[in-house]
Amino acid sequence: MFIVETVKEIRKIIKKEKREGKKIGLVPTMGYLHEGHLSLIKKAKEENDFVVVSVFVNPTQFGEGEDYESYPRELERDSNLAKSAGADILFHPFVGEMYPNGYNTYVETYKVTEKLCGASRPGHFRGVTTVVCKLFNIVAPHRAYFGQKDAQQVVVIKQMVRDLNMDIEIIPCPIVREKDGLALSSRNTYLNEEERRAGLILSKSLFKAKEMIENGERDGLKIKDFIVKNIQGEPLANIDYIEVVNSENLESMKKLEQEILIALAVKFGNTRLIDNMRIKIS
Amino acid sequence: MFIVETVKEIRKIIKKEKREGKKIGLVPTMGYLHEGHLSLIKKAKEENDFVVVSVFVNPTQFGEGEDYESYPRELERDSNLAKSAGADILFHPFVGEMYPNGYNTYVETYKVTEKLCGASRPGHFRGVTTVVCKLFNIVAPHRAYFGQKDAQQVVVIKQMVRDLNMDIEIIPCPIVREKDGLALSSRNTYLNEEERRAGLILSKSLFKAKEMIENGERDGLKIKDFIVKNIQGEPLANIDYIEVVNSENLESMKKLEQEILIALAVKFGNTRLIDNMRIKIS
């Protein structure tokens, strides 16, 4: 049985594996898996004995008017892909299994959730921390794998894990990109041909900004302005935010030092894409 | 080493015990232990192989102007009492160990926290669920023991455990009373002689209400009015709330059925006492 739908059943399986001394890796996803997810699954399989991939389009992390209903779902394809990448189980609970009648508890991390995507999507990270806390309690993994593509999510989850003393190692994995630079995302499927081409401006701008920093630029505002102008030059692009921040606490950075995160969210038509780059300042 | 102060150290101890197949029981307390706490520890020891008692006066569950600073603390006495009741470890973290700089995550259960004590003490249960979630993650017990004296706390923690899929059994234990009926509480130490005597009106009213129900009374409002009048007859008593509710969801009950909870909070001088009674309606 590869696909498991209930908390009770997956707990039973995990307990058996743990009794045999196996290390458990968890890869939480919303499904519609792409090479980015598969890289997480492969890494989890390298580092653990037993890998659980969860596929759950989590309603609590979508706001009013967002794409919860239309978010792409294709379980059979996901199941085959996850299995071929090394997953031992796919956990696919129904909404009522995760949020039964009378559900009333939320985990909320403040401060690092209030910037970037958190500012544009109020309530989003409360949904994320809540569902990840639940998945952590259900699967009780030793390690959990998250894509660096959702850079703020990684920061938020690390903060939650530290604050709530969860005994789980969080492993961020690099962004996987198409050959032309576009960061992989399940939402790329929403783009038409023109938008798909226009979306390249994001990775192009980030790579150019990285080059500027490698060439000595240390002024965060100049980097930001450069990216803003670059992206504004693309008529289909509609900027949500572009920020240059400290990669740990997400505070704005004027003079670049330590490790920085350049993070951005830009709409193309109705599709909101995010991308980012972490850069160590030498 | 009986007293353990750090998360790192207690985790190491628990992991060793678990590797040996031991069942872990946790008794979370704010210290200043009395026979009520000791009954929890004894029960935990009966049902588990290894018992952790935590003593932590949790700042996040006290409101402005409440008694966080003055709450009685007596670690050596607690340590001796806990040990003699069967505790294997006393976990006594400092505030900075539980809430380090930059701490920013809270667990919040809604609805059942909004009534009774939750209405009188805004933020109180957010502090309780947060610290209990942390203690559960730190100790990872199989079972956790709570006094029925804090009846709403038991309901709230059960709801949190269910909602967040915590794999921990919550065991409520009966109220322990002085011979004259006063429910044991660390806060009883605040009472002067007169207040101590006046405080007996609480248990007396609850026992009389129970008698009325046993004699067939099924009108929740009549029960409530009876208790209100009874307690108002005590000049030193200052009622915060008196409620007759469903013992599971804490909703008010007019016609008594299933299992009810009569819960009350009354001030005597500056000291706020709570007491309650659960009654199965046959």
Side-chain angles (χ1 to χ4, degrees), chain A residues 170-187:
Chain A
I170 301 303
I171 316 240
C173 302
I175 297 176
V176 177
R177 298 180 181 279
E178 304 276 10
K179 276 196 185 133
D180 60 10
L182 188 72
L184 294 193
S185 163
S186 306
R187 288 188 170 100

Side-chain angles (χ1 to χ4, degrees), chain A residues 7 11 15 97-98 102-111 126 130 133-134 137-138 159-160 162-167, chain B residues 7 11 15 97-98 102-111 126 130 133-134 137-138 159-160 162-167:
Chain A
V7 173
R11 272 217 177 114
K15 280 185 180 167
E97 178 77 4
M98 294 294 273
Y103 186 91
N104 260 318
T105 302
Y106 294 87
V107 177
E108 190 148 9
T109 293
Y110 295 86
K111 233 165 163 181
R126 188 178 88 142
T130 299
C133 174
K134 285 169 64 67
N137 286 333
I138 292 166
Q159 169 101 35
M160 172 185 75
R162 193 168 50 233
D163 284 351
L164 295 184
N165 306 100
M166 295 168 168
D167 194 13
Chain B
V7 172
R11 271 216 177 115
K15 280 185 182 170
E97 178 76 3
M98 293 295 271
Y103 186 90
N104 261 317
T105 302
Y106 294 87
V107 177
E108 190 146 11
T109 294
Y110 295 85
K111 231 158 164 187
R126 188 179 87 142
T130 300
C133 173
K134 284 169 65 66
N137 286 334
I138 292 167
Q159 168 102 35
M160 171 185 75
R162 192 168 50 231
D163 284 351
L164 296 184
N165 307 98
M166 294 168 168
D167 193 14

Side-chain angles (χ1 to χ4, degrees), chain A residues 151-218:
Chain A
Q152 187 175 12
Q153 176 173 275
V154 170
V155 171
V156 169
I157 286 170
K158 280 185 166 177
Q159 169 101 35
M160 172 185 75
V161 164
R162 193 168 50 233
D163 284 351
L164 295 184
N165 306 100
M166 295 168 168
D167 194 13
I168 295 173
E169 195 181 347
I170 301 303
I171 316 240
C173 302
I175 297 176
V176 177
R177 298 180 181 279
E178 304 276 10
K179 276 196 185 133
D180 60 10
L182 188 72
L184 294 193
S185 163
S186 306
R187 288 188 170 100
N188 290 349
T189 188
Y190 298 151
L191 300 169
N192 66 30
E193 209 176 317
E194 243 187 325
E195 291 163 348
R196 168 72 182 71
R197 183 204 46 72
L200 293 181
I201 192 68
L202 304 186
S203 54
K204 272 187 191 151
S205 305
L206 288 169
F207 279 107
K208 275 191 204 152
K210 191 181 180 200
E211 223 177 279
M212 287 169 71
I213 293 167
E214 282 167 356
N215 289 334
E217 183 59 66
R218 291 293 177 270

